[in-house]
DNA sequence: TAGCCGTGGGC
DNA sequence: TGCCCAAGGCT
């Protein structure tokens, strides 16, 4: 694949003038060096997650754990609670495992291959850290880059089959100088101008280089294979009261909402469970939630346990912190709280 | 390797 | 409203 020396200078010039200001980013031209810890943390949080959703989580994490040694020393439950609401909870467990490996090694690996071997760091994140924090000319390919490249070269082959082609094309664009800024520039371009719908081609710095624009098909790329329909699932969740406390449990590390704090439930996640103890149950509401691969309807049952629960642990009502629950269980808690106060 | 794994915002 | 999408990784 032939090298393309036209794109990077134009894009970097645009980035120097239009880079987004983000908490984890060093502004272009400042001459400062990005902190690998902050680059890593932000990249993991940003996996399949919007900038708007990540910003406050990043600020809270870095305020509480300023360095990788601080995070490595944290309790698992504290990290899970701080991550609650951000989704994809395997990231939080891998984050902690990674922090502990890095801390005991005395620092982050400085090569893409070294980074790639750490938990939660894959092809994208390893390239991003190597380029942004260590100034190495690695090619960073995320959803933005796939979209930008598919348009620049008018690639009509659909994703995900086209992914290797798009990666090879992206490699022809990566400059030896400022590879980190180039990667971030590609992502900023994709996020603000070369957007999925209604791309703003009129103000794009690469308009003269874009094959899709010339062919009038920019808004139709990248093409994607059709997705399967989402099945419907249903289940039960128990609001089990004992005195002035409710039963909560930590879910198993693997699987749905792995490692998060939750009300006992059954029937929706491949696990058939009995209630946390004998009681007379009454329906107090229903909660709907959308997961990546199914829609969920959860019947909320409430009851009073006469004896301590068979599993989980009792948490006093005023000690239940909504922010430490995953999104689904926040909805359940809202239903329970409305019922209790009624 | 393709299915699994959250959540919220935009249109 | 329902669907799409967002700086993916793991198995």
């Amino acid at each position: 694949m032939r090298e393309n020396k036209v794109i990077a200078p134009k894009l970097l010039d645009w980035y120097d003038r239009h880079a987004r200001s983000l908490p984890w980013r060093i502004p272009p031209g400042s001459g400062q060096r990005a902190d690998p810890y902050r680059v890593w943390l932000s990249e993991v949080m940003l996996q399949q997650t919007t900038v708007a959703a990540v910003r406050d989580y990043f600020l809270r994490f870095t305020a509480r754990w300023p360095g990788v040694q601080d995070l490595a020393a944290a309790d698992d439950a504290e990290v899970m609670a701080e991550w609650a609401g951000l989704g994809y909870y395997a990231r939080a467990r891998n984050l902690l495992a990674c922090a502990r490996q890095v801390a005991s090694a005395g620092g982050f690996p400085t090569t893409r291959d070294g980074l790639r071997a750490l938990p939660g760091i894959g092809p994208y994140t390893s390239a991003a850290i190597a380029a942004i924090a260590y100034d190495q000319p690695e090619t960073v390919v995320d959803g933005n880059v796939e979209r930008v490249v598919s348009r620049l070269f008018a690639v009509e082959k659909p994703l995900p089959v086209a992914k290797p082609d798009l990666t090879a094309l992206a490699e022809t664009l990566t400059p030896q100088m400022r590879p980190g800024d180039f990667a971030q520039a590609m992502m900023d371009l994709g996020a603000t101008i070369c957007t999925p719908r209604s791309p703003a081609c009129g103000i794009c710095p690469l308009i003269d280089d874009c094959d899709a624009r010339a062919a009038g098909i920019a808004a139709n790329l990248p093409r994607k294979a059709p997705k399967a329909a989402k099945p419907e699932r249903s289940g039960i969740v128990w609001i089990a009261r004992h005195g002035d406390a409710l039963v909560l449990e930590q879910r198993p590390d693997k699987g749905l909402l792995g490692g998060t704090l939750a009300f006992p439930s059954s029937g929706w996640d491949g696990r058939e469970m009995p209630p946390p103890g004998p009681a007379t149950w009454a329906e107090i509401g229903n909660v709907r939630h959308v997961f990546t691969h199914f829609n969920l309807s959860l019947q909320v049952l409430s009851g009073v346990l006469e004896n301590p629960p068979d599993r989980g642990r009792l948490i006093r009502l005023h000690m239940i912190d909504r922010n430490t629950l995953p999104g689904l269980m926040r909805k359940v808690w809202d239903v329970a709280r409305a019922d209790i106060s009624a």
Side-chain angles (χ1 to χ4, degrees):
Chain A
M1 193 68 70
R2 206 169 64 80
E3 197 174 352
N4 186 326
K5 300 204 174 202
V6 176
I7 303 294
K10 287 184 186 179
L11 191 59
L12 285 166
D13 182 62
W14 172 81
Y15 185 69
D16 287 339
R17 289 176 285 118
H18 297 290
R20 288 179 291 175
S21 176
L22 301 170
W24 48 84
R25 176 177 283 180
I26 302 296
S30 71
Q32 299 177 60
R33 192 77 163 183
D35 177 359
Y37 170 68
R38 295 167 63 87
V39 174
W40 162 71
L41 179 61
S42 65
E43 291 299 346
V44 172
M45 287 183 165
L46 285 162
Q47 289 167 4
Q48 295 291 285
T49 308
T50 58
V51 166
V54 165
R55 185 177 266 114
D56 288 347
Y57 281 87
F58 177 82
L59 293 173
R60 282 198 297 271
F61 264 73
T62 51
R64 185 166 179 176
W65 301 297
V68 68
Q69 293 83 1
D70 306 309
L71 183 57
D75 288 339
D76 294 52
E78 292 182 10
V79 174
M80 292 306 295
E82 203 68 67
W83 193 277
L86 198 54
Y88 284 135
Y89 297 96
R91 292 185 295 173
R93 287 178 273 115
N94 286 331
L95 188 80
L96 199 41
C98 182
R100 287 170 180 161
Q101 276 189 231
V102 169
S104 68
F108 284 91
T110 59
T111 66
R112 183 178 183 183
D113 286 345
L115 290 159
R116 175 74 182 80
L118 292 166
I121 298 183
Y124 163 76
T125 305
S126 58
I129 298 171
I132 296 169
Y134 295 113
D135 204 37
Q136 294 174 13
E138 301 289 353
T139 297
V140 177
V141 182
D142 74 329
N144 289 301
V145 175
E146 288 177 359
R147 185 169 58 255
V148 170
V149 170
S150 75
R151 288 172 177 171
L152 278 175
F153 297 94
V155 175
E156 301 209 47
K157 186 187 293 186
L159 285 168
V161 177
K163 168 103 177 178
D165 293 4
L166 296 174
T167 298
L169 289 167
E171 285 170 351
T172 70
L173 305 178
T174 304
Q176 293 296 311
M177 303 291 290
R178 303 181 63 189
D181 281 348
F182 176 77
Q184 295 177 90
M186 288 284 278
M187 294 189 279
D188 273 23
L189 188 74
T192 64
I193 290 180
C194 197
T195 52
R197 291 175 295 241
S198 308
C201 299
I203 57 171
C204 180
L206 305 181
I207 185 169
D208 294 334
D209 307 281
C210 185
D211 292 347
R213 167 68 179 178
I217 58 172
N220 301 323
L221 298 182
R223 304 199 192 286
K224 297 196 175 180
K227 298 181 179 178
K230 268 187 194 179
E232 190 78 16
R233 291 193 199 176
S234 60
I236 296 171
V237 59
W238 291 283
I239 303 301
R241 191 163 177 172
H242 185 71
D244 65 346
L246 298 183
V247 178
L248 283 147
E249 63 186 7
Q250 183 173 345
R251 292 179 57 80
D253 275 348
K254 301 212 179 274
L256 281 158
L257 306 179
T260 64
L261 192 61
F263 296 99
S265 64
S266 177
W268 61 281
D269 54 0
R271 299 184 178 101
E272 295 294 333
M273 302 286 287
T280 300
W281 301 103
E283 177 171 357
I284 61 171
N286 187 280
V287 160
R288 290 197 61 81
H289 196 70
V290 177
F291 286 89
T292 310
H293 52 296
F294 65 94
N295 295 321
L296 175 63
S297 176
L298 215 47
Q299 183 185 30
V300 185
L301 301 183
S302 176
V304 176
L305 299 178
E306 296 190 4
N307 301 311
D310 301 336
R311 66 172 192 276
R313 65 182 205 272
L314 289 166
I315 300 185
R316 294 182 195 284
L317 285 167
H318 68 277
M319 291 296 292
I320 296 175
D321 182 354
R322 187 178 187 279
N323 291 327
T324 65
L325 301 172
L328 169 63
M329 292 298 159
R330 290 180 186 181
K331 293 180 183 176
V332 173
W333 170 235
D334 290 342
V335 169
R337 197 169 40 179
D339 178 73
I340 290 168
S341 64

